[in-house]
């Protein structure tokens, strides 16, 4: 028979920390997660980019912080798509391109890593 071997306390703490870190991106709805850079396809904001701030399950809408103004708008999941190929200033992006999105859901550790990498490349 299989014998149960408990995890050391340190391993459990690491696992719990990882679960907590991943929970900040939950829920994943329509393949999108909170904090993600998206482009809106809804009338009135078509083509605008923003960061997914929250999921409002009671009304079935995402709340998105617009990059252009910081305004928060509510949109249906079908009107939001991931920005897959976002080129930064040093990688073929245009004059309005950027290296990183800083918004209400930006993870500070990830931001630090991106900024450090960006500075090393220059």
């Amino acid at each position: 028979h299989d014998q149960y071997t408990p995890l050391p306390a340190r391993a459990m703490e690491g696992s719990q920390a990882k679960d907590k870190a991943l929970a900040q991106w939950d829920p994943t709805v329509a393949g999108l997660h909170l904090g993600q850079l998206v482009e809106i396809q809804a009338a009135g904001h078509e083509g605008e980019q923003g960061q997914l701030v929250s999921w409002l399950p009671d009304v079935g809408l995402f709340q998105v912080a617009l990059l252009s103004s910081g305004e928060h708008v509510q949109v249906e999941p079908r009107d939001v798509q991931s920005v897959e190929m976002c080129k930064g200033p040093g990688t073929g992006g245009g004059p309005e391109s950027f290296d990183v999105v800083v918004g209400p859901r930006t993870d500070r550790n990830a931001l630090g890593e991106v900024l450090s990498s960006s500075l090393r490349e220059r």
Side-chain angles (χ1 to χ4, degrees):
H1 75 68
D2 292 333
Q3 188 174 17
Y4 171 73
T5 305
L7 289 172
R10 273 195 340 237
M12 286 177 47
E13 288 171 7
S15 175
Q16 290 169 349
K18 182 179 178 183
D19 290 346
K20 184 177 178 183
L22 291 174
Q24 72 179 328
W25 307 117
D26 282 340
T28 299
V29 177
L32 302 170
H33 61 81
L34 301 182
Q36 187 170 356
L37 178 63
V38 295
E39 185 172 305
I40 299 173
Q41 301 302 314
H45 296 288
E46 191 166 348
E48 287 195 63
Q49 293 181 341
Q51 185 182 50
L52 288 182
V53 176
S54 62
W55 168 245
L56 308 170
D58 295 342
V59 290
L61 299 173
F62 280 120
Q63 187 170 31
V64 178
L66 300 178
L67 296 184
S68 61
S69 65
E71 174 189 2
H72 288 210
V73 297
Q74 295 178 0
V75 295
E76 293 185 36
R78 69 172 184 221
D79 293 328
V80 179
Q81 68 182 24
S82 174
V83 176
E84 296 292 330
M85 297 301 295
C86 185
K87 294 183 179 183
T91 58
E96 292 154 9
S97 64
F98 45 86
D99 288 319
V100 65
V101 172
V102 179
R105 294 296 298 225
T106 301
D107 178 274
R108 285 183 164 69
N109 291 328
L111 175 61
E113 289 178 26
V114 169
L115 291 175
S116 175
S117 174
S118 181
L119 289 172
R120 277 194 308 267
E121 290 172 3
R122 287 176 172 67

